[in-house]
Amino acid sequence: MVDKITFMETLHSVQEIVKASSKPLTKEEIGSYFQDMELSKEQQEMVYQFLLTPSKETAQTEGKQGFQAESKSQEKAKDKAKNPHFQMYLREIAAVPSLTEEQQNILYQRLLAGEESVTEEISGQWLKKIIHIAKEYATANVFLEDLVQEGNISLLLAMKQLTGKGAEYGMEGAGKLDTAQQKRLENHLEELIREGMQQYRQDLEGEADSENTILAKVSLVYEARKALAKENGTDPTVQELCAYTRIPPEEIADILALHEKAREQP
């Protein structure tokens, strides 16, 4: 079974490599990073599609810019949603024909029986729903496009977990899924998709909160330095700034060092 944490860490690392590379990575180069994870051909193809999508602005970069006015963040979110590649993706998804409940039931049965080849067909039926779910988690700094990709990958991992697990859903031999069993399976898939999106948003917002805290401390030290210099007629020491701001001396020393380094820049 693919370890979700390891897979997601590898996926995001390779995504950064793809973005930083001066030339596109081949499928073979991408596949080398996942060679120990025993992904099926269908799952490998989904990973390739995810990573080889034309490059977009990173959510992390835009998240760092989110310290500015809320209106600017909202404008960025709108610009992100207008990404032509994402708009093309939405149009392609809209054109995917919907299957009947019975047809979907048969696909689920085949997946639970161990047929990995049906994962692509099942994914096609979930893509519209993933977009709908992603809208619930999107914010000014957590973009719909990125949440959709996280949801698609979470679905991939969820189907990997369910492959060949018919016994867990009451399928013995040539058994079939009844309506209640199918609903239980679909609820499980949706739960894992939501978990992936929620974790992504928490990670992104946590990083933004951390950077906000750092900026606040830098600003506080800067203002304290000016106030104490004006009051005492000399540049304050680290100990004086520590007593004034209640920030640990190690952090103040780091902030001052960064400030001096910035002043030295041409």
Side-chain angles (χ1 to χ4, degrees), residues 108-115 161-177 181 184-185:
Y108 291 139
Q109 290 179 45
R110 292 170 61 187
L111 179 71
L112 292 173
E115 289 189 47
Q161 292 178 12
L162 292 175
T163 303
K165 298 297 179 63
E168 296 182 10
Y169 286 84
M171 282 182 56
E172 297 292 347
K176 296 184 178 181
L177 287 175
Q181 290 169 329
R184 175 188 162 203
L185 183 148

Side-chain angles (χ1 to χ4, degrees), residues 10-11 14-15 17-18 24-35 39 44 47-53:
T10 303
L11 182 68
V14 177
Q15 188 178 32
I17 293 173
V18 170
L25 269 65
T26 65
K27 286 188 176 183
E28 290 72 20
E29 289 173 326
I30 291 175
S32 66
Y33 293 98
F34 300 89
Q35 60 184 356
L39 299 180
Q44 290 175 25
V47 170
Y48 297 148
Q49 292 177 9
F50 175 84
L51 291 172
L52 296 178
T53 297

Side-chain angles (χ1 to χ4, degrees), residues 19-249:
K19 292 174 183 176
S21 178
S22 58
K23 60 181 181 179
L25 269 65
T26 65
K27 286 188 176 183
E28 290 72 20
E29 289 173 326
I30 291 175
S32 66
Y33 293 98
F34 300 89
Q35 60 184 356
D36 296 328
M37 298 189 186
E38 300 181 354
L39 299 180
S40 67
K41 290 183 179 179
E42 290 76 16
Q43 292 165 340
Q44 290 175 25
E45 188 60 33
M46 291 181 69
V47 170
Y48 297 148
Q49 292 177 9
F50 175 84
L51 291 172
L52 296 178
T53 297
S55 62
K56 57 185 178 59
E57 296 175 325
T58 64
Q60 292 174 331
T61 299
E62 295 196 14
K64 293 176 181 178
Q65 296 172 344
F67 306 124
Q68 300 177 10
E70 180 68 15
S71 60
K72 291 185 178 179
S73 295
Q74 291 173 346
E75 289 175 4
K76 291 173 189 173
K78 291 178 181 179
D79 290 340
K80 185 80 169 181
K82 294 177 182 178
N83 183 311
H85 302 299
F86 186 53
Q87 292 301 312
M88 182 182 299
Y89 172 79
L90 294 178
R91 288 193 294 270
E92 292 175 351
I93 296 309
V96 175
S98 298
L99 300 179
T100 65
E101 287 291 321
E102 182 178 355
Q103 289 173 323
Q104 293 181 56
N105 186 288
I106 292 174
L107 289 177
Y108 291 139
Q109 290 179 45
R110 292 170 61 187
L111 179 71
L112 292 173
E115 289 189 47
E116 293 185 354
S117 61
V118 301
T119 55
E120 187 172 350
E121 292 179 81
I122 295 175
S123 295
Q125 295 303 300
W126 274 86
L127 296 178
K128 294 177 185 177
K129 190 169 186 178
I130 286 175
I131 293 172
H132 178 75
I133 295 172
K135 290 179 179 179
E136 300 179 27
Y137 294 90
T139 67
N141 290 317
V142 183
F143 302 112
L144 179 64
E145 178 180 353
D146 302 315
L147 287 166
V148 168
Q149 289 188 330
E150 291 295 324
N152 289 343
I153 292 300
S154 295
L155 175 62
L156 166 68
L157 292 173
M159 287 191 291
K160 177 69 174 178
Q161 292 178 12
L162 292 175
T163 303
K165 298 297 179 63
E168 296 182 10
Y169 286 84
M171 282 182 56
E172 297 292 347
K176 296 184 178 181
L177 287 175
D178 60 29
T179 302
Q181 290 169 329
Q182 180 176 345
K183 185 65 176 177
R184 175 188 162 203
L185 183 148
E186 290 176 336
N187 286 341
H188 181 60
L189 289 176
E190 181 173 338
E191 179 182 354
L192 294 177
I193 290 169
R194 288 182 178 275
E195 285 180 2
M197 291 184 185
Q198 181 66 27
Q199 185 61 55
Y200 173 76
R201 189 170 80 171
Q202 288 177 351
D203 291 345
L204 197 59
E205 291 180 338
E207 180 180 339
D209 288 342
S210 176
E211 292 191 0
N212 267 327
T213 300
I214 293 172
L215 287 176
K217 288 182 178 180
V218 170
S219 178
L220 178 59
V221 170
Y222 177 74
E223 294 300 327
R225 191 177 187 183
K226 286 200 304 181
L228 290 173
K230 182 177 181 180
E231 179 181 333
N232 301 327
T234 183
D235 207 26
T237 64
V238 170
Q239 289 71 26
E240 290 173 327
L241 287 170
C242 178
Y244 190 96
T245 63
R246 304 299 181 185
I247 296 175

